[in-house]
Amino acid sequence: MAARHAAVVALLVLAAAHVALCGSDRAGVVAHGGGNAPPAANVTGAASSAPAPAPSSASLAACGCGPAPAPWQFLNQKLAALWPVIQAFKKTITCDPHGVTATWEGPELCSSYFNGTKYKGFYCDFPPNAPTTLTVASIDFNGFGLCAPSLAGFIDQFPDLALFHANSNNFSGDVPDLTHLPYFYELDLSNNNFSGSFPDTVVPLGGLLFLDLRFNKYAGAVPPPVFDLTVEALFLNNNGFNGRIPDSFGSTGAKYLVVANNQFTGPIPRSIYNTSATLSEVLFLNNQLSGCLPYEIGLVEGLVVFDAGGNEVMGPIPLSFGCLSDVEELNLAGNQLYGQVPDVVCLLAKTGKLQNLSLSDNFFHSVGHHCMELVRSRVLDVRRNCILGFPDQRPPIECAAFYADPSKHCPFIPHIPCELPGYHHPHAAKADVAALPAAAHGHGQTQEGGN
Ligand SMILES: *[C@@H]1O[C@H](CO)[C@@H](O)[C@H](O)[C@H]1NC(C)=O
Ligand SMILES: *[C@@H]1O[C@H](CO)[C@@H](O)[C@H](O)[C@H]1NC(C)=O
Ligand SMILES: *[C@@H]1O[C@H](CO)[C@@H](O)[C@H](O)[C@H]1NC(C)=O
Ligand SMILES: *[C@@H]1O[C@H](CO)[C@@H](O)[C@H](O)[C@H]1NC(C)=O
Ligand SMILES: *[C@@H]1O[C@H](CO)[C@@H](O)[C@H](O)[C@H]1NC(C)=O
Ligand SMILES: *[C@@H]1O[C@H](CO)[C@@H](O)[C@H](O)[C@H]1NC(C)=O
């Protein structure tokens, strides 16, 4: 497992959060996915073409899987003990469109280690506690399209397993308890057929670095301890999760966190400030999040992608957003944001790294001075807002109704929690008042929130 660190790094770099929105893109991402095409094989023929029957130990025969190799044919006892586990799982598989399970026969479980073609999907390495014993360290079924009603009794029976990747299969059932696997750190169940409530068995996994449950049919609340996991990447998108995003959100040490395309409600947790040392890309896209856009987002210094588009988030953009000096993509389109697009945010295209500021389908009434050139260069999209004199805006009556509705008000916090080169904060007290929708109503070009 010497390659563990390198593999994680390679994986995380390539699996940036916006890529997470695709369902079956990761087959080629893993370090050892292998490019050789599967042989033209079939499921049914597999058992009958096993090697000549040999005397086998009781444990090997126990699964009733047909002719078992003799114990001495395996490289070591660890592999002999895994053979019946694989054979028992093979019997539960109900579809195998690429015929991979036909290669799961004979004693060569570590075939891939020797560049062989047996046991597709199984990868071997030397575990730290037995550095001379080759055994199965990772299972990568990405893109195999296998159907099986349960993984219980399978992945939990590989004592040295570090990774299980199963992107684009049709697995379902409960996720087995893996807490007794000391090296386990990557679980990818994305684009499968899992349903029911959040798989509680993953919550106690202390060493987990990567958890990918996206594109399944999970529903219900996400348990707060999920955000205490040590993961670097947490992908929960494209399920049916609902309820509030727990306040424990701020405990996450994740670098990539995607909860997009679910049915979460309630506010973006203010505890997000606490993720400042680690969070790089976060996608809240397409939920039903509401409440005021938190000032605390501007405290997350290393943010590169912030996407809360397609929600019901309200309020002005806090000036703290001007401190996001690493941000490249900021998507707040399709919400109920209002006031002026802050100049300090538009300045990030000049002084920072901002490349895409999506604010369409909101209720902004004006833009800061430096925003004009971003509209021209198409970095800033403010279509379907309430900006006088701009093309493609909402009908005035819609804007008037919005600005007259006191339920849409949020407090405006003018404080800028960082030093901005060349920026002198004007009239902070006045800005505070002017940013309230009611105050702005009727004078579309007022200059609250800093020029
Ligand atoms: C499956 O494979 C076996 C052995 O390769 C072969 O004899 C058999 O005809 C195949 N069956 C089908 C349905 O293709
Ligand atoms: C397997 O292939 C790799 C790359 O082609 C090579 O470096 C390695 O030595 C081969 N291993 C064996 C056991 O043949
Ligand atoms: C899972 O099975 C369904 C129904 O047979 C099929 O439409 C779908 O493509 C399968 N998914 C994968 C990832 O193989
Ligand atoms: C998907 O899961 C449902 C319920 O868990 C099950 O009835 C169905 O057969 C599964 N589909 C496939 C293709 O495995
Ligand atoms: C901040 O994060 C730490 C762990 O990194 C956690 O123990 C603490 O509870 C978090 N506080 C808040 C307010 O989220
Ligand atoms: C900017 O971001 C929005 C929202 O994520 C996206 O729809 C749009 O295609 C992006 N624009 C460019 C030029 O990349």
Side-chain angles (χ1 to χ4, degrees):
M1 254 151 276
R4 171 181 161 145
H5 186 67
V8 176
V9 172
L11 184 70
L12 291 178
V13 167
L14 290 166
H18 37 326
V19 173
L21 291 172
C22 311
S24 52
D25 50 39
R26 293 194 42 250
V29 167
V30 281
H32 33 228
N36 28 357
N42 61 54
V43 193
T44 48
S48 59
S49 55
S56 57
S57 75
S59 80
L60 290 188
C63 72
C65 308
W72 55 264
Q73 291 182 286
F74 293 97
L75 272 183
N76 57 56
Q77 286 187 347
K78 276 179 183 283
L79 295 175
L82 293 176
W83 184 87
V85 172
I86 296 171
Q87 300 306 318
F89 180 62
K90 181 169 156 179
K91 285 173 72 179
T92 69
I93 289 176
T94 58
C95 68
D96 178 9
H98 304 294
V100 291
T101 60
T103 68
W104 299 357
E105 51 147 29
E108 298 160 39
L109 273 67
C110 292
S111 174
S112 65
Y113 190 84
F114 303 101
N115 298 339
T117 55
K118 292 286 188 193
Y119 287 94
K120 280 199 179 302
F122 295 89
Y123 297 88
C124 292
D125 210 331
F126 299 94
N129 69 348
T132 58
T133 309
L134 196 62
T135 190
V136 175
S138 70
I139 299 176
D140 181 353
F141 292 166
N142 281 359
F144 284 4
L146 301 173
C147 306
S150 177
L151 297 170
F154 179 57
I155 52 175
D156 49 327
Q157 298 301 309
F158 290 79
D160 302 298
L161 196 66
L163 296 84
F164 181 62
H165 292 163
N167 174 277
S168 299
N169 285 275
N170 252 311
F171 297 135
S172 52
D174 294 334
V175 178
D177 180 4
L178 304 173
T179 50
H180 58 286
L181 307 184
Y183 312 122
F184 195 77
Y185 71 98
E186 260 189 51
L187 182 61
D188 178 356
L189 302 177
S190 56
N191 199 27
N192 275 274
N193 186 30
F194 289 98
S195 56
S197 57
F198 191 95
D200 283 324
T201 41
V202 308
V203 175
L205 293 178
L208 211 56
L209 288 184
F210 182 93
L211 177 60
D212 188 346
L213 302 179
R214 72 200 146 107
F215 290 94
N216 278 290
K217 296 170 192 145
Y218 283 121
V222 172
V226 169
F227 295 101
D228 296 325
L229 283 168
T230 53
V231 287
E232 292 183 24
L234 180 59
F235 296 149
L236 304 180
N237 52 295
N238 298 78
N239 278 283
F241 291 122
N242 56 35
R244 291 167 69 102
I245 297 174
D247 292 334
S248 61
F249 184 89
S251 301
T252 187
K255 191 167 185 198
Y256 306 110
L257 206 160
V258 185
V259 299
N261 298 312
N262 281 289
Q263 282 136 45
F264 288 110
T265 53
I268 295 172
R270 309 184 87 107
S271 61
I272 193 170
Y273 72 85
N274 201 29
T275 64
S276 182
T278 44
L279 192 61
S280 169
E281 306 193 7
V282 62
L283 279 70
F284 294 105
L285 178 72
N286 294 337
N287 281 282
Q288 291 148 36
L289 298 172
S290 55
C292 301
L293 189 62
Y295 162 87
E296 287 81 357
I297 294 164
L299 302 175
V300 187
E301 285 176 6
L303 266 189
V304 175
V305 176
F306 182 87
D307 190 335
N311 283 286
E312 292 152 34
V313 178
M314 296 183 299
I317 298 179
L319 296 193
S320 62
F321 275 58
C323 299
L324 297 174
S325 56
D326 285 337
V327 82
E328 294 171 13
E329 284 187 48
L330 190 52
N331 179 19
L332 299 169
N335 280 286
Q336 303 190 8
L337 301 169
Y338 60 81
Q340 186 175 60
V341 178
D343 202 42
V344 289
V345 174
C346 291
L347 268 171
L348 289 173
K350 206 177 237 174
T351 61
K353 300 174 181 163
L354 188 61
Q355 291 164 14
N356 187 339
L357 178 55
S358 290
L359 302 177
S360 60
D361 298 285
N362 281 287
F363 294 88
F364 292 105
H365 61 58
S366 58
V367 301
H369 164 74
H370 286 93
C371 300
M372 299 301 280
E373 60 193 86
L374 301 194
V375 174
R376 279 191 289 272
S377 60
R378 297 179 192 272
V379 169
L380 171 57
D381 183 355
V382 284
R383 286 172 297 166
R384 295 177 298 281
N385 276 277
C386 300
I387 309 172
L388 282 179
F390 274 44
D392 200 5
Q393 296 298 299
R394 291 180 187 274
I397 190 159
E398 217 174 291
C399 297
F402 176 87
Y403 275 95
D405 180 351
S407 73
K408 308 288 189 193
H409 294 190
C410 286
F412 178 70
I413 304 171
H415 183 62
I416 299 181
C418 62
E419 286 292 324
L420 294 180
Y423 182 78
H424 302 291
H425 200 286
H427 330 299
K430 257 195 214 156
D432 203 357
V433 176
L436 292 174
H441 176 50
H443 15 349
Q445 308 292 342
T446 48
Q447 69 289 355
E448 91 281 5
N451 61 350

